[in-house]
Amino acid sequence: MRPLTEQETQTLFAKLANYTGSSLKQLIAAPASTPAGTTTTTPDDRYVFRLQESRVYYVRLSTANLATSIARDNLLSLGTCLGKFTKTGKFRLHITALDIIAPHARYKVWVKPNGEMPFLYGGNVVKAHVGRWSDDCPEHQGVLVLSMNDTPLGFGVTARSTAEARRMEPTAVAVFRQADCGEYLREEDTLFTT
């Protein structure tokens, strides 16, 4: 497990910024304070990104430092897997990154109950299934897909801007699926393999 190179970091941050925007800084910043002010925070309380083979993990620095005593061949994973680098150097987010992206997402799309199952089975979100949108969402922007009761279902990329999507026909694709919670079942054999 090693830190990311400069090029890998830029690629990762570009992908994460597509979904989180300026709140990307909060992912790597040290916590501001501890509960009830009992102790002070240390630099080891911040989170870092580490690379194991081609997968990127989001892990607390103190835990990453402890993992250096484990041989690379014996270490399978550590922290939360955000995704992996492809052979061409591009970064692909996994569904396991949903818990990290969800609190920081800039743009969101809420899906009606009749559109949840088609999305969870791997389909794109059509306009008829959209309950509501974040305002002023541009075209080809990363969005968090939520159910109407604010449960994160996955994430995707908008097909049209919010203004253009209002004029689309009901069967037109509004959001291209990137990852959804159904992947835990559909890809359970290959999701965590190396």
Side-chain angles (χ1 to χ4, degrees), residues 51-123:
L51 187 73
Q52 174 70 11
E53 296 181 6
S54 63
R55 297 184 187 271
V56 176
Y57 293 92
Y58 182 68
V59 63
R60 189 178 294 273
L61 180 60
S62 58
T63 308
N65 290 339
L66 290 173
T68 58
S69 63
I70 301 171
R72 285 187 183 183
D73 294 340
N74 296 337
L75 186 65
L76 294 178
S77 71
L78 180 70
T80 303
C81 180
L82 290 181
K84 66 184 252 180
F85 283 100
T86 62
K87 292 179 182 177
T88 60
K90 295 180 181 175
F91 186 73
R92 177 168 163 75
L93 280 172
H94 285 178
I95 186 59
T96 52
L98 183 64
D99 292 335
I100 307 299
I101 292 174
H104 304 287
R106 180 174 25 166
Y107 298 110
K108 300 175 183 179
V109 172
W110 286 266
V111 177
K112 294 177 184 175
N114 63 345
E116 291 178 14
M117 290 310 287
F119 180 73
L120 292 176
Y121 279 115

Side-chain angles (χ1 to χ4, degrees), residues 8-69:
E8 292 167 341
T9 303
Q10 287 178 355
T11 305
L12 172 67
F13 283 179
K15 180 65 95 168
L16 288 175
N18 191 28
Y19 293 93
T20 62
S22 61
S23 64
L24 176 64
K25 297 173 194 167
Q26 295 173 356
L27 287 176
I28 55 175
S33 63
T34 57
T38 54
T39 59
T40 59
T41 59
T42 64
D44 288 348
D45 287 341
R46 69 185 177 94
Y47 282 87
V48 293
F49 300 99
R50 292 292 186 251
L51 187 73
Q52 174 70 11
E53 296 181 6
S54 63
R55 297 184 187 271
V56 176
Y57 293 92
Y58 182 68
V59 63
R60 189 178 294 273
L61 180 60
S62 58
T63 308
N65 290 339
L66 290 173
T68 58
S69 63

